[in-house]
Amino acid sequence: MATRTDAPTRREQILKEAARLFAERGFHGVGVDEIGAAVGISGPGLYRHFPGKDAMLAELLVGISGQLLTGAKQRLKEVDGAAPEVVLDSLLEGHIDFALDDRPLITLHDRELDRLRDSDRKLVRQLQRQYVELWVGVVRALYPDLAEPAARSAVHSVFGLLNSTPHLARPGSLPGRATTAALLHRMARGAFAAAVSD
């Protein structure tokens, strides 16, 4: 999948630092001055980009759900017509990239989703449901004997496995990104295979 190589915008820098700080200290434990200092601008300067911390949190959580769904759809287009194993592997690679590269967003989602306005929280859930259903279709194409509810449960279980990366160890203490990615991939494939062995 093509990746963006140009420098992040100021807005993207703010969001990245906000995600890191919110994940480390909690949403209420971080002030706009601290976020501003992390990107080299004054706290009040943030208001040129966002109306407040609530807007940053909403953009982070709605944004990552949308990015996962869009990325998965793009991957499916790129492997259209490939064997079901190839399609599932592509989806796994995309989610593993997210799980290893965006660990603060996983923590943020786990801790702060309930702080979103109802409309934003509903949008996050809607995007997540679409993402899950996309995976369910791919899993059932590979394992046609797996009933839809079981496939959905297996997808949620694999997401739980992959999204556990913030709890594996302190950043920098994992065995290396490539080794960790390969391990997560093998474990996820094993989980899906186990779902049909009963």
Side-chain angles (χ1 to χ4, degrees), residues 6-192:
D6 49 331
T9 65
R10 175 66 77 181
R11 186 178 181 87
E12 290 167 338
Q13 291 171 345
I14 292 167
L15 287 171
K16 180 178 180 182
E17 290 305 315
R20 180 183 64 80
L21 290 167
F22 292 159
E24 286 175 3
R25 299 206 301 271
F27 180 74
H28 288 302
V30 178
V32 292
D33 290 336
E34 294 168 272
I35 299 169
V39 295
I41 61 176
S42 69
L46 289 179
Y47 294 112
R48 287 194 298 270
H49 302 277
F50 296 95
K53 287 194 320 178
D54 290 339
M56 290 180 216
L57 182 64
E59 187 157 332
L60 285 165
L61 295 182
V62 172
I64 193 56
S65 296
Q67 289 168 32
L68 283 169
L69 179 59
T70 300
K73 287 178 177 179
Q74 180 61 38
R75 284 178 172 273
L76 290 185
K77 283 183 187 175
E78 291 171 1
V79 295
D80 186 37
E85 294 89 350
V86 172
V87 178
L88 181 58
D89 284 342
S90 182
L91 287 182
L92 280 168
E93 288 165 12
H95 199 98
I96 288 168
D97 284 345
F98 160 68
L100 293 176
D101 297 338
D102 292 309
R103 292 166 74 181
L105 287 174
I106 295 171
T107 300
L108 195 60
H109 180 278
D110 289 347
R111 290 186 190 159
E112 311 291 354
L113 181 64
D114 288 342
R115 297 195 191 285
L116 293 181
R117 292 178 309 170
D118 285 347
S119 58
D120 289 329
R121 190 168 51 253
K122 286 177 183 174
L123 180 54
V124 168
R125 293 300 191 200
Q126 177 186 2
L127 293 166
Q128 289 174 339
R129 279 193 298 275
Q130 292 175 40
Y131 185 61
V132 167
E133 292 310 308
L134 186 147
W135 276 72
V136 168
V138 170
V139 169
R140 293 195 72 214
L142 180 57
Y143 301 108
D145 293 335
L146 192 61
E148 189 173 309
R152 191 171 293 108
S153 294
V155 167
H156 281 290
S157 297
V158 166
F159 288 171
L161 165 71
L162 300 179
N163 292 346
S164 70
T165 55
H167 311 291
L168 294 177
R170 293 182 316 277
S173 64
L174 292 174
R177 191 189 188 289
T179 302
T180 303
L183 174 63
L184 289 171
H185 193 278
R186 287 193 308 274
M187 292 176 70
R189 285 297 301 270
F192 284 127

